[in-house]
Amino acid sequence: MSLTYSASRDELVEYDKQHLWHPFTQMKEWTDGTPLLIARGEGNYLVDVDGKRYLDGVSSLWANIHGHGRTEINEAIASQLQELAHSTLLGLSHPSAALLAHRLAQLTPGDLRWAFYSESGSTAVEIAIKMAFQYWQNLGRKKKTRFMSLREGYHGDTIGAVSVGGIDLFHQVYGPLLFNGVKAPCPYRYCQENDIPLERGTERLAAEVDALMTAYADETAAFILEPLVQGAGGILPFPPGLLKRIEELCRRYDVLLIADEVAVGFGRTGTMFACEQESVVPDFMCLGKGITGGYLPLAATMTTQRIYDGFWGDYQELKTFFHGHTYTGNPLACAAALASLDLFQTDKTIENLPPKIARIEAGLDRLAEGEQVGDVRQRGMMAGVELVRDRAGNSAYPVEERIGHKVCMAVRKHGVILRNLGDTVVLMPLLSLTIEELDRIFDALENAIREVCG
Ligand SMILES: Cc1ncc(COP(=O)(O)O)c(C=O)c1O
């Protein structure tokens, strides 16, 4: 059965241009262009209203895992819908929320065993920030009110998440609204600026964090980071071992660790969770995006018994976590998440990644030979291709040229959807993409770079 719309294609375009304000979009540019209206998803492809097919090279904003229109997830949502579309977790519970909490507790590392639901990565982070803050307040450690984070970090768009973010382009304008925190260097940029090969940057960076801990740990509630890869900062990988060193420093200085796995979780770095790769068990793990296989909005902030116990007491002690949203733990989204976790097992999603990761590496090596490619970066299934005007002189394109954006528009003509972060083109393929489809993405990108950059 296909949907029918009460408007023609041209009317839809008109309604979009007249009434729909798009996220992270300069609307002047949008209004001048022709919007691509996606009508359907079929496996690894998105299909527009005219029937043209595009490979989904960014997993529909880093969320889709197993492909679009997977019967197993569709049916799970439909079955749940027959029973209950929504009630509330305030004062009530429901089977899918309880089942999923149990599954997530089993799946996440160490003693992360409590799941607090919300609807987006931003809210998962907001909850971790508020919980970490209140944990210390409940314990009487009133001075521990600040947050440490990394430059070029991205944790979402709500004000708390922006406060711990570090991308000037997105965050600077809100400066007066934000709470004051402590910023540690961006690991990748620090290595670049100090001419240190990434593999050898760990000790120097750990020393920088150690110095900040010495100065600020007494007043710091938590350190928040994106484990292994800073995604929205431009796919910026960590030096090996740094995540573990930061965990150790957090333990030594009694600072809680928040691992924001919203982007890197659910297989993107090659393991179910990025923290696993360095045997790190944070105090909070924020999950979003891929948690439902990319089908419905859901997020979970996982935490430990220690944190949970900090909120335990008689009502009049006022230690309760007074936080919750109307759609917290929505049953349809929980059902989608359970079906997605099943697919990880039946499809052997993680086990099948190594050849795909190797193919991405080979594709990047090939692209890196191009004159206009200044840097290529990869961690598992996450990759970034940074375009520069002149590689030898290491000079960037002027911002107004919008080269990254132009290349992504050109890629579309080759039947592939990609998105840029500035002049870095991001490749975040569905984990279900085949080797042949990966090759098609690289061919399309290579052609587009040649067409746009010459
Ligand atoms: C690491 C990280 N945290 C949080 C978020 C925010 O997630 P959402 O857009 O679902 O609010 C993102 C989104 O890109 C992210 O990459």
Side-chain angles (χ1 to χ4, degrees), residues 62 119-123 125 154-157 226 231-232 260 262-263 289:
W62 312 2
E119 308 81 29
S120 74
S122 306
T123 53
V125 166
Y154 180 80
H155 301 287
D157 294 336
E226 297 158 83
D260 175 357
V262 169
K289 290 188 182 284

